[in-house]
Amino acid sequence: MDMDGMPDEDSLIERMAPGVLSRDGFHCADRRQLDAILQADAAAERASALTHEAIGRRLEQILQAAVAALGRPVEVAGALTACYHESMGRIPCPWGECGLFAKGEVELTDTRNNKTVRFTPLSVHMIYRHGFYQGPGSRYRIEPTEIVELLDIKPDEG
Ligand SMILES: [Zn+2]
């Protein structure tokens, strides 16, 4: 597992709580749940022969394309469109010392079935750097297997 930047584990969990960094928090109640989420998602990545760096890079490309389109929907692949919704302010990563991230969100829609996945600049960072896809029930929870399938990410892109 990627143990990048885990200075103080208690404060990491505290910063993930609702109302600390974000109103809804990251849906991760304690260290045990965080470890379980990280391990399950890492196993899903391995099953797809991908890494969170590869998945994060693809999400970053989509984020950049959506931001560049200034709020207009942009076609990012086949039947997928991405739209960036700007929001005031910036938010730090709960791991700390990773800088600040714009609070806007990308709405990624599969126009074949109108399924939507939402993610933020911080989501992309946490996936890429920490392998963290957020806890169950989070607005920004991403299932690694679903995003790999949706974006048709192939192992050789990693
Ligand atoms: Zn970070």
Side-chain angles (χ1 to χ4, degrees):
M1 196 200 315
D2 188 350
M3 298 298 281
D4 267 1
M6 281 214 192
D8 180 335
E9 300 188 352
D10 286 341
S11 59
L12 170 61
I13 296 298
E14 281 165 20
R15 287 190 289 258
M16 285 186 175
V20 181
L21 297 183
S22 78
R23 191 188 60 196
D24 297 325
F26 299 88
H27 291 247
C28 188
D30 54 30
R31 182 72 218 180
R32 184 185 298 201
Q33 190 190 7
L34 175 61
D35 285 340
I37 293 166
L38 291 173
Q39 282 172 23
D41 290 341
E45 290 170 353
R46 282 195 298 275
S48 304
L50 286 163
T51 62
H52 45 261
E53 288 88 352
I55 295 168
R57 270 195 295 272
R58 188 76 181 93
L59 291 173
E60 178 69 26
Q61 290 168 356
I62 291 169
L63 170 66
Q64 295 299 335
V67 168
L70 302 171
R72 290 188 306 273
V74 60
E75 194 177 291
V76 289
L80 300 180
T81 61
C83 189
Y84 185 69
H85 302 281
E86 216 168 10
S87 194
M88 291 293 284
R90 296 196 291 169
I91 181 173
C93 171
W95 270 265
E97 298 182 5
C98 301
L100 292 166
F101 300 87
K103 274 189 172 175
E105 69 177 35
V106 174
E107 202 173 63
L108 179 65
T109 303
D110 186 338
T111 57
R112 291 164 297 195
N113 56 19
N114 278 329
K115 262 189 153 181
T116 293
V117 173
R118 290 184 183 84
F119 58 90
T120 67
L122 177 58
S123 309
V124 175
H125 162 78
M126 290 194 298
I127 290 170
Y128 179 82
R129 178 76 200 279
H130 308 291
F132 182 53
Y133 293 78
Q134 304 202 28
S138 168
R139 174 178 178 82
Y140 301 116
R141 165 71 191 168
I142 286 178
E143 294 298 334
T145 47
E146 286 178 16
I147 197 74
V148 164
E149 199 183 309
L150 186 67
L151 297 176
D152 196 24
I153 309 173
K154 298 288 193 290
D156 58 354
E157 290 178 31

